[in-house]
Structure formats: C-alpha cells, structure tokens
Amino acid sequence: MSSIFFNFFRKIKLIDIAVFAVFAAVTVYAFSFAYRGGASRRELVVHTPRGIFAYDMSKDRIIDIEGAIGISRIEISGGTARFLDSPCPNKTCVQSMPIRETGEWSACLPNQVFLRIEGGSAGAVDATVR
C-alpha cells in the first residue's frame, strides 16, 4: 500500500503542483466572492421623467426631485425612504408608509416619480411554500 503512494508522489511534477495551486486559489476566491459576509449596499433608485438616480441608503439626507408637475421632496433616514412633500393634489404618496426593504417601492403617479429600494442581501427569504 505504501509503495502505491510513494510511486504516485514520485510522478508528481512541478507543473502539477502549480496547476493545483491556481485551481485552489480560484476556488477560494470564487467562494469568498459569492458568500462574502454582511449585507451589500442598498440604494434608493428614483425614476423620474428626467432620468434615473441612485442614492446610498446608509446616508441620511433630503432630496428634491423634479417630476412632471413640480418638485417632490424625498427623505432618506435610518435606512428608510419616504415622500415628505409633493405637488400632487391628493398627497397619497406623502401619506404612505416609508419603504425600508429591498424590493419595496413608493410612487407619486401625478408627478411621475417612482422610488424603489435595490441591493442588499440577495439571500434573504421573502416567502416559504408548504
């Protein structure tokens, strides 16, 4: 039995060791990239008639966004986003709850301003089926 292992190790060449080392390094890098710890950056993506804008959700701020009928004021605070004010007639967007989770959205339809949270942990479970 020991002669089998001895013969095996005698036949290993330097190129074999190099190929194995490269394969191991690529595998470790791929797993560390795919399963890195912590949540990735979340962004508030704002769609307007003038373009699409993204804002980091970790920084508290108030943003004025120009829409179709005027300026909508949006607040990002404590990882949530909401409409503070908008020129729409019934202010439904202002009365709606703040959005906080990836995939949630809010909109001011008359002003054509659409908010959506993107990014964050891709592995989060949002539903289970029984």
Side-chain angles (χ1 to χ4, degrees), residues 68-72 85-95 107-112:
I69 60 173
I71 303 290
S72 288
D85 190 30
S86 201
C88 56
N90 58 5
K91 307 276 190 218
T92 304
C93 56
V94 176
Q95 297 169 11
C108 179
L109 297 179
N111 203 22
Q112 298 176 12

Side-chain angles (χ1 to χ4, degrees), residues 97-110:
M97 295 292 293
I99 57 175
R100 68 186 59 208
E101 300 294 329
T102 299
E104 288 185 333
W105 60 272
S106 185
C108 179
L109 297 179

Side-chain angles (χ1 to χ4, degrees), residues 22-53:
V22 168
F23 175 75
V26 168
T27 302
V28 168
Y29 175 76
F31 275 101
S32 68
F33 183 75
Y35 298 106
R36 63 187 149 185
S40 63
R41 179 177 141 155
R42 290 186 323 135
E43 292 182 328
L44 176 68
V45 179
V46 181
H47 295 261
T48 72
R50 298 188 182 268
I52 300 171
F53 307 94

